[in-house]
Each structure stands twice: as structure tokens, then as C-alpha cells.
Amino acid sequence: MIDRIVTAVRELPPESTQQAVGYPSLFLLVALGALVPVVPTGAIVSSAAVVAFHQTAPLALLYVFVVAAAAAFLGDLALYWLGQRGVRSRNGSRWLAALRGRATPERLAQAQGRLETHQVPVLVLSRLVPAGRIPVMLACLLAGMPLRRFARGDLPACLAWAATYQLIGILGGSLFPEPWQGVVAAVGLTVLLSAAPALWRRLRGHRTTAHPGGSSEGSPDGSPEGGLKG
């Protein structure tokens, strides 16, 4: 995968072509990743930010931020709307079933508990914590939260998410002279961030096994446990 990224970035077309193709592609990939949480949207945004950092256009980074945040927001709204249809339907829907399948009962219960007291902060954290978005979205659906209220909480969440992964891209772009080097660094960092929660749970599981009387509380940062792809 890394070899393909390096080859693609080394053979970048002129800036005008990058902008004409890149921004629509960024929007589609991020929106698709919001609907189908298997696309590594964080790595995509960071890579786009690296390329924009090395461009001469003064507003390139701003465009990446706006496009990524808008795509994530619209994708979340579409998925929530589809989930609402499943909640209202007697037989549910495949979208609601997919959401349930990606949220364990423990994570769902944690999200429901935190949602009762801190709606907007929980939504923001759900976007930033890997695998936190789906349990919180499902908790919102089961609580009967209207789409408009969900949108008010999800907007700052998407803005914070886009800013975070863009900063990762800017960091990668500033550390290396060549765009492909920055892209590799940014993708590696996003993969590391995505894998960190799962590694933490595994280490904590080993400690619990070694000390059966230990506590099994939620994650120390108060956020939904799990590992969100973008």
C-alpha cells in the first residue's frame, strides 16, 4: 500500500489538474467513508493536506479543510437519516443493522450514559476517537434525537475532525521536502493513532487477566472506547 502511495504522489500532475480532480475526489471519498466506515478517511484528509501544503495556491489548505468537513458532515447526516428510517420501521433496515453490528453492547451502553449529560462534547469526541462515532450515533438514534439536533452537535465534531487530520498532514508536509515523504509520514501517523485504542484495550485486558480483582471502568479520557475510521 505504501509503495502505491509513494508512486502516486511522485507522479503528481500540475496544480491545476490536482485541484480540478483532487477536491471532488476528496469530497466523495470522505462522504463515502462516513456512510461505509471502512474507508480510511483520516489518512485521506492528511494526505490531501500534505499535497496542499506543497502547492503554491494560498488557499489550498483552506479548501481541503472545507471540503473534508463538509463531506464528513453530509455523510454523517445521510447515515443518521438512514438510521432513523430503520428505527421507525417495524422491521428495521440494513443500515440500522449495520450500525448495531459495529457497536458492541458495552460501547453502546457507555455512549448512552455519556450522551444523557454531555451531548455535544460526546459527539465531538466520537469523531476524534477511533471507532467512537458509530456507538454514539447509534445511541443518538435509540434515544430518538431529532436530525436537526444531531446536526447541531455533529457540525463542530466534523470541523474538529477535519482540523485534526489536516494538522497531521501539515506536520508531515513541513517535516519533509518531498510531498510523497510527507504523505507516507501522515498515513503512518494516522494508522498509529487508529491502532492505539485497540492496543490499549489489549494491554488493559492482559492486566485484568493478571489481576482479576482490578477495575474495569471505561476509557480514562471519558470518551467512547474503540478504535473510528475517519
Side-chain angles (χ1 to χ4, degrees):
M1 178 180 176
I2 298 297
D3 292 339
R4 293 179 182 177
I5 294 174
V6 171
T7 302
V9 178
R10 276 178 167 172
E11 299 175 356
L12 285 175
E15 283 191 19
S16 58
T17 305
Q18 292 178 34
Q19 294 169 3
V21 176
Y23 297 134
S25 299
L26 175 63
F27 182 90
L28 291 174
L29 288 172
V30 173
L32 177 63
L35 285 169
V36 185
V38 294
V39 179
T41 50
I44 291 170
V45 174
S46 297
S47 300
V50 171
V51 176
F53 180 83
H54 286 276
Q55 290 181 346
T56 57
L59 299 179
L61 285 171
L62 177 61
Y63 292 153
V64 168
F65 171 74
V66 171
V67 169
F73 181 64
L74 293 177
D76 281 357
L77 292 189
L79 184 59
Y80 194 79
W81 178 76
L82 291 168
Q84 278 186 321
R85 293 186 61 186
V87 170
R88 294 167 184 164
S89 172
R90 179 176 301 177
N91 298 322
S93 70
R94 64 185 183 90
W95 291 100
L96 182 61
L99 288 174
R100 288 183 181 275
R102 297 185 68 87
T104 63
E106 285 186 4
R107 295 179 196 172
L108 177 59
Q110 291 171 358
Q112 288 174 320
R114 293 175 182 129
L115 193 66
E116 292 179 359
T117 54
H118 303 93
Q119 290 187 356
V120 173
V122 169
L123 282 169
V124 173
L125 282 174
S126 74
R127 257 286 175 187
L128 297 178
V129 176
R133 181 174 67 104
I134 297 302
V136 171
M137 182 179 290
L138 183 57
C140 292
L141 286 168
L142 298 179
M145 181 181 292
L147 179 62
R148 186 172 298 179
R149 188 188 303 174
F150 174 81
R152 287 200 299 266
D154 191 57
L155 179 58
C158 291
L159 292 173
W161 173 83
T164 299
Y165 281 98
Q166 178 158 346
L167 285 175
I168 293 175
I170 292 173
L171 176 63
S174 62
L175 290 176
F176 300 96
E178 295 293 332
W180 70 268
Q181 296 172 324
V183 168
V184 172
V187 170
L189 185 55
T190 55
V191 170
L192 180 62
L193 291 175
S194 298
L199 179 60
W200 168 253
R201 289 198 307 274
R202 183 174 298 179
L203 291 174
R204 193 175 63 175
H206 288 317
R207 291 177 184 175
T208 304
T209 303
H211 305 282
S215 172
S216 57
E217 297 178 358
S219 60
D221 61 357
S223 57
E225 290 188 24
L228 197 194
K229 283 189 181 179

